Amino acid sequence: MVSKTCEYAIRAMLFIAQKSKSDIKVGVKHIAKAIDSPEPFIAKILQELSRKGLLQSAKGPTGGFFLDNAGLKQNLADIVVAVDGDKLFTGCGLGLKSCSEKKPCPIHDEFVAVRRQIKTMMKSATLDDYNTSLELGEKYLKR
Amino acid sequence: MVSKTCEYAIRAMLFIAQKSKSDIKVGVKHIAKAIDSPEPFIAKILQELSRKGLLQSAKGPTGGFFLDNAGLKQNLADIVVAVDGDKLFTGCGLGLKSCSEKKPCPIHDEFVAVRRQIKTMMKSATLDDYNTSLELGEKYLKR
DNA sequence: GAAATAAAAGAGTAAAAACTCTTTTATTTT
DNA sequence: AAAATAAAAGAGTTTTTACTCTTTTATTTC
Ligand code: FES
Ligand code: FES
Protein backbone atom coordinates (compact mmCIF):
# COMPACT_ATOMS: atom_id res chain seq x y z
CA MET A 1 0.00 0.00 0.00
CA VAL A 2 2.62 2.55 1.13
CA SER A 3 6.38 2.00 1.55
CA LYS A 4 7.83 1.01 4.90
CA THR A 5 9.59 4.36 4.96
CA CYS A 6 6.20 6.00 4.65
CA GLU A 7 4.68 3.90 7.42
CA TYR A 8 7.47 4.96 9.76
CA ALA A 9 7.04 8.57 8.68
CA ILE A 10 3.32 8.60 9.43
CA ARG A 11 3.69 6.92 12.81
CA ALA A 12 6.50 9.31 13.76
CA MET A 13 4.51 12.36 12.69
CA LEU A 14 1.50 11.21 14.73
CA PHE A 15 3.74 10.75 17.75
CA ILE A 16 5.42 14.12 17.33
CA ALA A 17 1.99 15.72 16.92
CA GLN A 18 0.98 14.39 20.31
CA LYS A 19 4.04 15.84 22.02
CA SER A 20 3.81 19.11 20.17
CA LYS A 21 0.39 19.74 21.70
CA SER A 22 2.20 20.25 25.02
CA ASP A 23 5.07 22.12 23.33
CA ILE A 24 7.50 19.31 23.88
CA LYS A 25 10.30 18.71 21.40
CA VAL A 26 11.17 15.10 21.06
CA GLY A 27 14.49 13.45 20.19
CA VAL A 28 15.04 10.76 17.64
CA LYS A 29 15.82 8.14 20.28
CA HIS A 30 12.52 8.77 21.99
CA ILE A 31 10.62 8.66 18.70
CA ALA A 32 12.25 5.42 17.59
CA LYS A 33 11.24 3.75 20.83
CA ALA A 34 7.67 5.07 20.69
CA ILE A 35 6.98 3.83 17.17
CA ASP A 36 9.32 0.80 17.16
CA SER A 37 11.58 1.80 14.29
CA PRO A 38 15.34 1.68 13.66
CA GLU A 39 16.74 4.85 15.23
CA PRO A 40 19.12 6.07 12.49
CA PHE A 41 16.56 5.26 9.82
CA ILE A 42 13.75 7.34 11.26
CA ALA A 43 16.33 10.10 11.80
CA LYS A 44 17.06 10.14 8.07
CA ILE A 45 13.39 10.15 7.18
CA LEU A 46 12.58 13.03 9.50
CA GLN A 47 15.54 15.08 8.27
CA GLU A 48 14.17 14.72 4.76
CA LEU A 49 10.67 15.74 5.84
CA SER A 50 12.14 18.63 7.80
CA ARG A 51 13.96 19.85 4.68
CA LYS A 52 10.65 19.67 2.84
CA GLY A 53 9.04 21.75 5.59
CA LEU A 54 6.60 19.17 6.94
CA LEU A 55 8.00 19.51 10.44
CA GLN A 56 10.49 21.57 12.42
CA SER A 57 13.63 20.68 14.33
CA ALA A 58 16.06 22.22 16.81
CA LYS A 59 19.62 21.17 17.57
CA GLY A 60 21.34 20.94 20.92
CA PRO A 61 20.08 20.07 24.40
CA THR A 62 16.28 20.44 24.77
CA GLY A 63 16.26 20.21 20.98
CA GLY A 64 14.42 17.68 18.87
CA PHE A 65 11.61 17.45 16.35
CA PHE A 66 8.31 19.26 16.67
CA LEU A 67 5.34 20.54 14.72
CA ASP A 68 4.12 24.11 14.52
CA ASN A 69 0.42 24.95 14.31
CA ALA A 70 0.41 24.71 10.53
CA GLY A 71 2.18 21.35 10.76
CA LEU A 72 -0.49 19.98 13.06
CA LYS A 73 -3.10 20.75 10.41
CA GLN A 74 -1.51 18.40 7.86
CA ASN A 75 -3.20 15.16 6.95
CA LEU A 76 -1.80 11.71 6.21
CA ALA A 77 -2.05 12.19 2.47
CA ASP A 78 0.41 15.10 2.70
CA ILE A 79 2.97 12.79 4.28
CA VAL A 80 2.33 9.97 1.80
CA VAL A 81 2.82 12.30 -1.16
CA ALA A 82 6.02 13.74 0.35
CA VAL A 83 7.51 10.27 0.88
CA ASP A 84 6.07 8.03 -1.85
CA GLY A 85 4.82 10.50 -4.42
CA ASP A 86 1.24 10.43 -5.68
CA LYS A 87 1.08 7.09 -7.47
CA LEU A 88 -1.17 5.72 -4.71
CA PHE A 89 -3.73 8.40 -5.58
CA THR A 90 -3.37 8.41 -9.35
CA GLY A 91 -1.75 5.16 -10.52
CA CYS A 92 -3.36 2.19 -12.25
CA GLY A 93 -4.22 -0.81 -10.09
CA LEU A 94 -2.85 -3.27 -12.64
CA GLY A 95 0.29 -1.29 -13.41
CA LEU A 96 -0.62 0.23 -16.78
CA LYS A 97 1.68 3.15 -17.53
CA SER A 98 -1.07 5.55 -16.57
CA CYS A 99 -4.65 5.32 -15.44
CA SER A 100 -7.32 6.88 -17.62
CA GLU A 101 -10.90 6.51 -18.73
CA LYS A 102 -9.78 6.34 -22.35
CA LYS A 103 -7.96 3.02 -22.18
CA PRO A 104 -9.01 1.62 -18.84
CA CYS A 105 -7.71 -1.66 -17.39
CA PRO A 106 -10.25 -4.36 -16.48
CA ILE A 107 -10.60 -3.19 -12.89
CA HIS A 108 -10.47 0.53 -13.57
CA ASP A 109 -13.96 1.46 -12.40
CA GLU A 110 -13.75 -0.44 -9.12
CA PHE A 111 -10.19 0.70 -8.53
CA VAL A 112 -11.09 4.34 -8.92
CA ALA A 113 -13.61 3.83 -6.14
CA VAL A 114 -10.98 2.19 -3.94
CA ARG A 115 -8.55 5.04 -4.54
CA ARG A 116 -11.21 7.56 -3.67
CA GLN A 117 -11.91 5.79 -0.40
CA ILE A 118 -8.21 5.76 0.47
CA LYS A 119 -7.95 9.43 -0.35
CA THR A 120 -10.92 10.22 1.85
CA MET A 121 -9.42 8.19 4.69
CA MET A 122 -6.15 10.08 4.44
CA LYS A 123 -7.57 13.55 3.96
CA SER A 124 -10.49 13.68 6.35
CA ALA A 125 -8.41 14.09 9.52
CA THR A 126 -5.46 16.27 10.50
CA LEU A 127 -2.56 14.98 12.60
CA ASP A 128 -4.06 16.98 15.43
CA ASP A 129 -7.36 15.10 15.11
CA TYR A 130 -5.67 11.82 16.02
CA ASN A 131 -4.31 13.13 19.32
CA THR A 132 -7.24 12.44 21.62
CA SER A 133 -7.74 8.79 20.74
CA LEU A 134 -3.99 8.22 21.07
CA GLU A 135 -3.92 9.96 24.44
CA LEU A 136 -6.90 7.99 25.67
CA GLY A 137 -5.05 4.80 24.79
CA GLU A 138 -7.72 3.75 22.30
CA LYS A 139 -5.24 3.69 19.44
CA TYR A 140 -1.59 2.65 19.22
CA LEU A 141 1.55 3.44 17.21
CA LYS A 142 3.28 0.12 17.92
CA ARG A 143 2.46 -3.29 19.23
CA MET B 1 -0.76 -1.78 -3.65
CA VAL B 2 0.51 -5.02 -5.20
CA SER B 3 4.06 -5.80 -6.41
CA LYS B 4 5.05 -5.27 -10.02
CA THR B 5 5.48 -9.02 -10.32
CA CYS B 6 1.87 -9.39 -9.26
CA GLU B 7 0.63 -6.79 -11.73
CA TYR B 8 2.33 -8.67 -14.56
CA ALA B 9 0.90 -11.94 -13.27
CA ILE B 10 -2.68 -10.64 -13.25
CA ARG B 11 -2.43 -9.07 -16.69
CA ALA B 12 -0.90 -12.27 -18.10
CA MET B 13 -3.57 -14.46 -16.53
CA LEU B 14 -6.31 -12.26 -17.95
CA PHE B 15 -4.73 -12.50 -21.38
CA ILE B 16 -4.30 -16.27 -21.18
CA ALA B 17 -7.90 -16.57 -20.02
CA GLN B 18 -9.05 -14.85 -23.19
CA LYS B 19 -7.12 -17.22 -25.43
CA SER B 20 -8.09 -20.28 -23.44
CA LYS B 21 -11.74 -19.61 -24.22
CA SER B 22 -10.94 -20.60 -27.80
CA ASP B 23 -8.63 -23.41 -26.66
CA ILE B 24 -5.52 -21.62 -27.83
CA LYS B 25 -2.25 -22.13 -25.98
CA VAL B 26 -0.13 -19.03 -25.95
CA GLY B 27 3.66 -18.70 -25.84
CA VAL B 28 5.61 -16.44 -23.56
CA LYS B 29 6.70 -14.19 -26.43
CA HIS B 30 3.11 -13.56 -27.40
CA ILE B 31 2.09 -12.92 -23.79
CA ALA B 32 4.94 -10.50 -23.17
CA LYS B 33 3.92 -8.47 -26.20
CA ALA B 34 0.25 -8.45 -25.28
CA ILE B 35 0.76 -7.19 -21.74
CA ASP B 36 3.96 -5.18 -22.34
CA SER B 37 6.28 -6.98 -19.94
CA PRO B 38 9.89 -8.21 -20.11
CA GLU B 39 9.72 -11.60 -21.78
CA PRO B 40 12.04 -13.67 -19.54
CA PHE B 41 10.52 -12.11 -16.45
CA ILE B 42 6.92 -13.03 -17.21
CA ALA B 43 8.23 -16.50 -18.14
CA LYS B 44 9.64 -16.93 -14.64
CA ILE B 45 6.46 -15.70 -13.03
CA LEU B 46 4.22 -18.02 -15.03
CA GLN B 47 6.47 -21.00 -14.35
CA GLU B 48 6.06 -20.32 -10.65
CA LEU B 49 2.28 -20.02 -10.97
CA SER B 50 2.22 -23.17 -13.06
CA ARG B 51 4.09 -25.06 -10.35
CA LYS B 52 1.50 -23.82 -7.88
CA GLY B 53 -1.25 -25.08 -10.14
CA LEU B 54 -2.86 -21.76 -11.08
CA LEU B 55 -2.42 -22.45 -14.77
CA GLN B 56 -1.28 -25.19 -17.13
CA SER B 57 1.52 -25.35 -19.67
CA ALA B 58 2.70 -27.58 -22.51
CA LYS B 59 6.17 -27.82 -24.01
CA GLY B 60 7.14 -28.11 -27.62
CA PRO B 61 5.62 -26.70 -30.81
CA THR B 62 1.95 -25.72 -30.43
CA GLY B 63 2.75 -25.62 -26.71
CA GLY B 64 2.37 -22.67 -24.37
CA PHE B 65 0.40 -21.57 -21.36
CA PHE B 66 -3.32 -22.10 -20.94
CA LEU B 67 -6.09 -22.34 -18.37
CA ASP B 68 -8.41 -25.26 -17.80
CA ASN B 69 -12.03 -24.74 -16.80
CA ALA B 70 -11.20 -24.66 -13.11
CA GLY B 71 -8.45 -22.12 -13.82
CA LEU B 72 -10.89 -19.82 -15.58
CA LYS B 73 -13.00 -19.73 -12.44
CA GLN B 74 -10.21 -18.19 -10.36
CA ASN B 75 -10.42 -14.58 -9.24
CA LEU B 76 -7.79 -11.87 -8.95
CA ALA B 77 -7.42 -12.39 -5.20
CA ASP B 78 -6.24 -15.94 -5.82
CA ILE B 79 -3.41 -14.61 -7.98
CA VAL B 80 -2.51 -11.86 -5.54
CA VAL B 81 -2.27 -14.31 -2.65
CA ALA B 82 -0.16 -16.71 -4.73
CA VAL B 83 2.31 -13.99 -5.68
CA ASP B 84 2.35 -11.48 -2.82
CA GLY B 85 0.87 -13.45 0.05
CA ASP B 86 -2.11 -12.17 2.01
CA LYS B 87 -0.72 -9.05 3.65
CA LEU B 88 -2.86 -6.88 1.37
CA PHE B 89 -5.95 -8.52 2.84
CA THR B 90 -4.85 -8.82 6.48
CA GLY B 91 -1.98 -6.39 7.15
CA CYS B 92 -2.04 -3.11 9.06
CA GLY B 93 -2.20 0.09 7.00
CA LEU B 94 0.44 1.78 9.15
CA GLY B 95 2.77 -1.20 9.33
CA LEU B 96 2.10 -2.44 12.85
CA LYS B 97 3.32 -6.00 13.22
CA SER B 98 -0.24 -7.25 12.95
CA CYS B 99 -3.68 -5.72 12.56
CA SER B 100 -6.21 -6.33 15.29
CA GLU B 101 -9.13 -4.76 17.11
CA LYS B 102 -7.31 -5.14 20.41
CA LYS B 103 -4.50 -2.68 19.75
CA PRO B 104 -5.64 -0.85 16.64
CA CYS B 105 -3.59 1.80 14.85
CA PRO B 106 -5.14 5.26 14.37
CA ILE B 107 -6.61 4.44 10.96
CA HIS B 108 -7.67 0.87 11.75
CA ASP B 109 -11.44 1.28 11.35
CA GLU B 110 -11.24 3.11 8.05
CA PHE B 111 -8.50 0.82 6.76
CA VAL B 112 -10.54 -2.28 7.48
CA ALA B 113 -13.23 -0.81 5.26
CA VAL B 114 -10.70 -0.12 2.50
CA ARG B 115 -9.37 -3.66 2.71
CA ARG B 116 -12.87 -5.05 2.49
CA GLN B 117 -13.56 -3.03 -0.64
CA ILE B 118 -10.36 -4.26 -2.25
CA LYS B 119 -11.25 -7.83 -1.35
CA THR B 120 -14.70 -7.43 -2.86
CA MET B 121 -13.20 -5.96 -6.02
CA MET B 122 -10.82 -8.89 -6.38
CA LYS B 123 -13.24 -11.65 -5.48
CA SER B 124 -16.44 -10.66 -7.22
CA ALA B 125 -15.35 -11.66 -10.72
CA THR B 126 -13.59 -14.69 -12.19
CA LEU B 127 -10.93 -14.45 -14.90
CA ASP B 128 -13.58 -15.67 -17.28
CA ASP B 129 -15.86 -12.77 -16.37
CA TYR B 130 -13.36 -10.26 -17.73
CA ASN B 131 -13.26 -11.85 -21.17
CA THR B 132 -16.16 -10.11 -22.85
CA SER B 133 -15.17 -6.53 -22.02
CA LEU B 134 -11.60 -7.31 -23.15
CA GLU B 135 -12.83 -8.84 -26.39
CA LEU B 136 -15.11 -5.91 -27.06
CA GLY B 137 -12.13 -3.59 -26.69
CA GLU B 138 -13.69 -1.76 -23.77
CA LYS B 139 -10.82 -2.68 -21.47
CA TYR B 140 -7.07 -2.99 -22.04
CA LEU B 141 -4.07 -4.90 -20.70
CA LYS B 142 -1.48 -2.38 -21.87
CA ARG B 143 -1.30 1.15 -23.15
C1' DG C 1 34.36 29.14 27.16
C1' DA C 2 34.08 24.02 27.92
C1' DA C 3 31.32 20.11 27.97
C1' DA C 4 27.33 17.92 26.71
C1' DT C 5 23.44 17.23 23.74
C1' DA C 6 21.06 16.56 19.57
C1' DA C 7 20.18 17.14 14.64
C1' DA C 8 22.48 17.47 9.71
C1' DA C 9 25.00 15.50 6.24
C1' DG C 10 27.02 12.15 3.63
C1' DA C 11 28.94 7.90 2.63
C1' DG C 12 28.31 3.19 3.02
C1' DT C 13 26.09 -1.64 3.60
C1' DA C 14 22.42 -5.28 3.36
C1' DA C 15 18.44 -7.25 1.70
C1' DA C 16 14.74 -7.60 -1.38
C1' DA C 17 12.56 -6.87 -5.80
C1' DA C 18 12.98 -6.68 -10.53
C1' DC C 19 14.94 -8.45 -14.42
C1' DT C 20 18.43 -11.44 -17.62
C1' DC C 21 20.99 -15.28 -19.51
C1' DT C 22 22.20 -19.99 -20.41
C1' DT C 23 21.42 -24.72 -20.41
C1' DT C 24 18.27 -28.57 -20.23
C1' DT C 25 14.13 -31.20 -21.12
C1' DA C 26 9.91 -32.34 -23.36
C1' DT C 27 7.11 -32.38 -27.48
C1' DT C 28 5.95 -32.06 -32.19
C1' DT C 29 6.65 -31.82 -37.02
C1' DT C 30 9.03 -33.33 -41.06
C1' DA D 1 15.57 -40.06 -36.44
C1' DA D 2 16.52 -35.05 -36.99
C1' DA D 3 15.23 -30.43 -36.59
C1' DA D 4 12.52 -27.10 -34.59
C1' DT D 5 9.83 -25.22 -30.94
C1' DA D 6 8.72 -23.92 -26.40
C1' DA D 7 8.69 -24.35 -21.38
C1' DA D 8 11.67 -25.64 -17.02
C1' DA D 9 15.36 -24.80 -14.20
C1' DG D 10 18.90 -22.46 -12.17
C1' DA D 11 22.37 -19.19 -11.73
C1' DG D 12 23.39 -14.44 -12.23
C1' DT D 13 22.85 -9.20 -12.56
C1' DT D 14 20.84 -4.65 -11.66
C1' DT D 15 18.10 -1.56 -9.26
C1' DT D 16 15.58 -0.05 -5.45
C1' DT D 17 14.43 -0.08 -0.75
C1' DA D 18 15.73 -0.50 3.76
C1' DC D 19 18.92 0.39 7.07
C1' DT D 20 23.80 1.81 9.44
C1' DC D 21 27.88 4.40 10.66
C1' DT D 22 30.83 8.35 11.11
C1' DT D 23 31.76 13.07 11.10
C1' DT D 24 30.21 17.80 11.41
C1' DT D 25 27.48 21.66 13.04
C1' DA D 26 24.46 24.11 16.02
C1' DT D 27 22.67 24.99 20.63
C1' DT D 28 22.41 24.96 25.48
C1' DT D 29 23.87 24.37 30.14
C1' DC D 30 27.33 24.76 33.58
S1 FES E 1 -6.51 2.13 -15.82
FE1 FES E 1 -6.12 0.71 -14.30
S2 FES E 1 -7.00 1.71 -12.63
FE2 FES E 1 -7.44 3.10 -14.17
S1 FES F 1 -4.15 -2.07 13.20
FE1 FES F 1 -3.62 -0.81 11.57
S2 FES F 1 -5.10 -1.37 10.16
FE2 FES F 1 -5.69 -2.60 11.82
Side-chain angles (χ1 to χ4, degrees), chain B residues 32-49:
Chain B
K33 191 164 279 181
I35 69 168
D36 189 26
S37 75
E39 190 182 316
F41 191 37
I42 191 63
K44 277 278 103 168
I45 297 169
L46 291 176
Q47 278 159 29
E48 165 81 8
L49 290 182

Side-chain angles (χ1 to χ4, degrees), chain B residues 54-97:
Chain B
L54 277 77
L55 80 164
Q56 280 65 49
S57 69
K59 290 184 178 181
T62 77
F65 292 94
F66 63 99
L67 284 157
D68 58 22
N69 285 333
L72 286 167
K73 292 281 187 304
Q74 292 172 106
N75 56 47
L76 302 192
D78 295 325
I79 301 170
V80 170
V81 170
V83 177
D84 283 351
D86 69 350
K87 78 175 186 309
L88 176 61
F89 301 116
T90 62
C92 167
L94 291 189
L96 299 197
K97 292 211 179 82

